[in-house]
Amino acid sequence: MVDRWGMWDAVPDSGRRRWSLEPFESVGPLRFGMRPERVTAALEGIVRNPQRHTHAALSPDRYGTVKGESWGLGLTFYYGKEERLRGISVDALKGPQVYADGVALVGRVPSDLEQWIVDRATIRESFSELFYANLGVPGSRSLGVVIGLQRAGDRLLTRPVFLPADAMDAPVSFLPPEAWSIQ
């Protein structure tokens, strides 16, 4: 049954922007380490209001992060030290579709994506590839992604959180708890 307001409807892949993941470097036009102004500039031609950014004049949270959002694209940005991009979360319902090795990561059934990571680790013979973060949420060390979750009515869909290489030793402590909660 479809929610009468459509708030739980996920945009089909055909209606999403298509972005590629370059592990630890970039997600679509966004590169880890960018300043908020550069993120805004990278998104200006794509969406009308590229980013609502909480400036560092407001104090960072206890994790040292400052958050930015692009509601029009379904993205949340986490900036760290010196206001450099250190995390990107993609909304499961309306965010761009991000591909890694030809596989779509956004808005998927979580168990299907988890199985893909397991199969990928087996093929690569990399036993440290798969890890589990908060409450058993899977992640991939070689892709720099934690497969967060988001509600879509009475279902859960994947809401990936992409991270730079220096986050992989302790991904959960790298960003504030809200990055890992079910949205």
Side-chain angles (χ1 to χ4, degrees), residues 67-154:
K67 188 170 94 172
E69 295 176 304
S70 177
W71 290 341
L73 282 175
L75 300 171
T76 301
F77 312 109
Y78 296 94
Y79 297 98
K81 197 165 150 184
E82 299 176 7
E83 290 197 58
R84 300 286 187 167
L85 186 61
R86 67 187 285 170
I88 303 165
S89 175
V90 181
D91 186 278
L93 303 179
K94 63 181 179 181
Q97 185 55 267
V98 179
Y99 291 88
D101 295 342
V103 173
L105 304 179
V106 181
R108 296 294 179 237
V109 174
S111 59
D112 290 349
L113 207 48
E114 178 182 25
Q115 187 60 55
W116 175 74
I117 294 172
V118 168
D119 294 345
R120 187 174 182 273
T122 303
I123 291 168
R124 296 167 53 106
E125 296 181 3
S126 173
F127 301 108
S128 64
E129 167 73 13
L130 174 70
F131 68 93
Y132 289 92
N134 282 1
L135 303 172
V137 174
S140 167
R141 290 192 196 288
S142 67
L143 293 174
V145 65
V146 175
I147 306 301
L149 302 173
Q150 184 173 338
R151 284 189 61 201
D154 60 355

Side-chain angles (χ1 to χ4, degrees), residues 58-72:
L58 302 172
S59 62
D61 65 20
R62 68 186 183 111
Y63 293 85
T65 59
V66 174
K67 188 170 94 172
E69 295 176 304
S70 177
W71 290 341

Side-chain angles (χ1 to χ4, degrees), residues 8-105:
W8 299 114
D9 294 341
V11 173
D13 282 355
S14 62
R16 296 177 187 254
R17 298 194 179 281
R18 295 175 60 94
W19 287 4
S20 294
L21 170 67
E22 291 296 326
F24 311 119
E25 292 185 33
S26 65
V27 179
L30 307 173
R31 299 188 68 74
F32 290 109
M34 289 176 115
R35 294 187 180 277
E37 306 80 42
R38 298 285 310 252
V39 169
T40 298
L43 299 176
E44 277 181 342
I46 299 173
V47 68
R48 185 179 207 182
N49 296 313
Q51 179 176 199
R52 200 181 97 219
H53 174 240
T54 305
H55 293 282
L58 302 172
S59 62
D61 65 20
R62 68 186 183 111
Y63 293 85
T65 59
V66 174
K67 188 170 94 172
E69 295 176 304
S70 177
W71 290 341
L73 282 175
L75 300 171
T76 301
F77 312 109
Y78 296 94
Y79 297 98
K81 197 165 150 184
E82 299 176 7
E83 290 197 58
R84 300 286 187 167
L85 186 61
R86 67 187 285 170
I88 303 165
S89 175
V90 181
D91 186 278
L93 303 179
K94 63 181 179 181
Q97 185 55 267
V98 179
Y99 291 88
D101 295 342
V103 173
L105 304 179

